[in-house]
């Protein structure tokens, strides 16, 4: 490994055997590794040195690894954090992600998965490695534009139309959370652009060059859900003439976008929960599990918290998916949002390209900015294409009969 990609890594664990195992695995990758066995030792090393990555156990003799993570987040440290939790401690893993950890691992740690997660964290923080310029961290609550992203990420953010405070907040949230691994739940009414938000999250992340796989959970027949999500082996069911990959395998290394997640039946919710927790899937008809490396972004127009209370959605899956929540606003917030939406929708439709919507005296935005606008982008497309269809219809009906082209059958 070249020196420009060598990272300084701090490993914090009170068990000497595990600490040595992690150190040896990282040293083989060419990294500079430092070790600590307690919070006190870790604080001393963090105060005196800069690290690109910190790997900490959740429970230490003198406290919790989360305490260090919170201190680091408060000090705006540039280091990425990976937290190692005990098997089955879902609440701890979710809490670590909410505190700003890049990712988490569960014990017993698989070394291949360990190396993959470390590699992903270092790629996400690549600008901070030696020989590269650092990117400043975004300030909480700032009203400035989102932090600099890649060219693909900038294009994806530009597709989110609108300059209202709510939409600026959405773009800033995307820029803040894109480079982590925490699951994101996108909420908003149908037609508000939830898939555009998910696509922007993917494009702004270090996974931007990998697959982005959108899935409409409400459009798949219930009996095919398991095969579609996890894949199937030849002969697993009638008509399975060859092996096939599922959505998790197709999105390996990238992002899996689960749209309308609230439509999944309870039985499939349990299987999806295990796949997210273990990061392993078992194709239908197979006896071996496969490791998968995907980031989960889900979306819904429903109130999942109410569905949890009503027993229609699993509470444990809800907490796994709702680590970070992004709410997409409606367009119906005045001319500041309506005008960009109208212009984008008119120019995007071949039927209305070039149609000067600003000159129409009866248009809701030009008559009064307080008049209620169409609530979603989908409604805007309907509004923008309707005038052109009506105009063509009036032209057709006004033509004299003898000038109309005769139709032969």
């Amino acid at each position: 490994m070249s020196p420009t990609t060598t990272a300084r890594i701090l490993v914090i664990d009170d068990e000497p055997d595990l600490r040595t195992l992690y150190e040896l695995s990282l040293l083989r990758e060419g990294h500079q590794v430092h070790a600590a066995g307690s919070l006190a030792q870790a604080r001393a090393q963090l105060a005196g040195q800069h690290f690109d990555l910190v790997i900490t156990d959740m429970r230490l003799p003198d406290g919790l690894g989360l305490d260090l993570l919170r201190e680091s987040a408060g000090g705006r440290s540039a280091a990425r954090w990976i937290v190692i939790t005990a098997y089955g401690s879902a609440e701890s893993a979710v809490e670590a992600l909410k505190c700003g950890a890049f990712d988490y691992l569960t014990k017993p740690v698989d070394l291949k998965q360990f190396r993959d997660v470390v590699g992903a964290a270092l790629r996400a923080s690549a600008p901070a490695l030696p020989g590269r310029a650092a990117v400043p961290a975004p300030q909480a609550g700032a009203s400035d534009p989102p932090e600099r992203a890649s060219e693909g990420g900038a294009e994806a953010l530009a597709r989110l139309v609108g300059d209202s405070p709510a939409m600026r907040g959405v773009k800033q949230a995307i820029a803040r959370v894109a480079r982590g691994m925490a699951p994101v739940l996108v909420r908003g009414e149908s037609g508000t652009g939830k898939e555009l938000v998910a696509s922007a999250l993917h494009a702004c992340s270090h996974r931007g060059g990998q697959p982005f796989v959108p899935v409409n959970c409400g459009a798949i027949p219930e009996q095919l859900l398991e095969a579609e999500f996890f894949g199937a082996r030849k002969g697993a069911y009638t008509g399975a003439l060859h092996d096939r990959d599922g959505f998790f395998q197709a999105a390996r290394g990238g992002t899996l976008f689960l749209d309308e997640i609230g439509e999944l039946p309870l039985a499939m919710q349990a299987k999806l929960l295990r796949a997210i927790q273990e990061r392993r899937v078992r194709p239908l008809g197979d006896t071996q599990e496969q490791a998968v490396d995907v980031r989960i972004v889900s979306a819904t127009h429903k109130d999942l918290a109410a569905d949890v209370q009503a027993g229609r959605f699993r509470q444990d899956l809800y907490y796994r998916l709702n680590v970070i929540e992004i709410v997409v606003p409606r367009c119906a917030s005045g001319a500041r949002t309506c005008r960009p939406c109208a212009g984008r929708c008119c120019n995007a439709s071949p039927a209305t390209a070039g149609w000067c919507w600003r000159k129409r005296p009866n248009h809701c935005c030009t008559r009064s900015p307080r008049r209620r606008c169409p609530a979603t982008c989908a409604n805007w497309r309907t509004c923008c294409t309707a005038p052109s269809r009506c105009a063509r219809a009036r032209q057709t009906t006004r033509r004299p009969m003898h000038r109309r082209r005769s139709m032969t059958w």
Side-chain angles (χ1 to χ4, degrees), residues 88-99:
S89 56
E91 296 79 5
S92 300
V94 170
E95 183 65 22
L97 294 174
K98 287 184 176 180
C99 289

Side-chain angles (χ1 to χ4, degrees), residues 73-95:
R76 296 293 178 187
S77 171
R80 299 283 177 179
W81 286 68
I82 296 173
V83 177
I84 300 177
T85 67
Y87 175 80
S89 56
E91 296 79 5
S92 300
V94 170
E95 183 65 22

Side-chain angles (χ1 to χ4, degrees), residues 132-365:
R132 302 181 186 178
V135 178
Q139 297 298 319
S143 59
D144 299 331
E147 63 179 293
R148 292 190 294 270
S150 63
E151 183 178 350
E155 293 177 359
L157 288 173
R159 288 197 292 268
L160 297 173
V161 182
D163 193 34
S164 65
M167 185 53 70
R168 287 202 303 269
V170 168
K171 294 179 181 180
Q172 290 166 10
I174 291 172
R176 283 196 299 269
V177 307
R179 291 187 175 274
M181 276 289 292
V184 179
L185 177 64
V186 184
R187 287 201 305 110
E189 296 183 18
S190 297
T192 50
K194 296 188 291 294
E195 186 168 347
L196 288 177
V197 172
S199 178
L201 277 166
H202 171 74
C204 293
S205 72
H206 65 283
R207 298 172 175 262
Q210 301 301 319
F212 173 74
V213 180
V215 179
N216 187 343
C217 299
I220 305 174
E222 184 173 349
Q223 61 271 23
L224 297 180
L225 281 170
E226 187 172 357
E228 292 290 333
F229 272 77
F230 308 136
R233 291 289 171 256
K234 179 180 178 180
Y237 56 88
T238 303
L241 303 180
H242 51 80
D243 294 350
R244 54 166 296 186
D245 288 338
F247 297 134
F248 273 87
Q249 291 91 341
R252 185 178 283 117
T255 303
L256 180 60
F257 174 52
L258 303 178
D259 197 8
E260 300 301 343
I261 188 70
E263 303 296 336
L264 280 182
L266 286 170
M268 187 61 196
Q269 291 177 27
K271 298 171 184 176
L272 178 62
L273 174 65
R274 174 175 171 78
I276 295 174
Q277 286 183 167
E278 303 302 322
R279 297 178 187 179
R280 306 180 72 87
V281 298
R282 179 183 289 115
L284 197 64
D286 202 345
T287 58
Q288 301 296 323
E289 291 186 332
Q290 300 176 358
V292 289
D293 173 28
V294 299
R295 185 183 190 179
I296 301 294
V297 179
S298 52
T300 183
H301 69 279
K302 294 184 173 182
D303 184 354
L304 290 186
D307 284 353
V308 168
Q309 295 296 324
R312 294 187 295 268
F313 201 85
R314 290 182 63 103
Q315 184 179 35
D316 45 7
L317 178 59
Y318 173 67
Y319 286 127
R320 277 289 185 179
L321 297 175
N322 192 29
V323 176
I324 297 172
E325 185 178 70
I326 296 179
V327 180
V328 185
R330 302 175 52 171
C331 293
S333 57
R336 194 172 190 178
T337 304
C338 290
R339 289 182 181 275
C341 287
R344 175 64 62 87
C345 292
C346 289
N347 292 328
S349 172
T352 56
W355 180 55
C356 188
W357 54 272
R358 293 182 183 87
K359 295 181 180 179
R360 294 191 63 84
N362 292 329
H363 197 279
C364 64
C365 289

Side-chain angles (χ1 to χ4, degrees), residues 15-32:
E15 298 183 39
D17 293 342
L18 288 177
R19 192 168 64 241
T20 302
L21 181 64
Y22 301 151
E23 287 184 69
L24 292 175
S25 180
L26 295 170
L27 287 171
R28 290 194 188 101
E29 299 292 321
H31 301 302
Q32 300 178 27

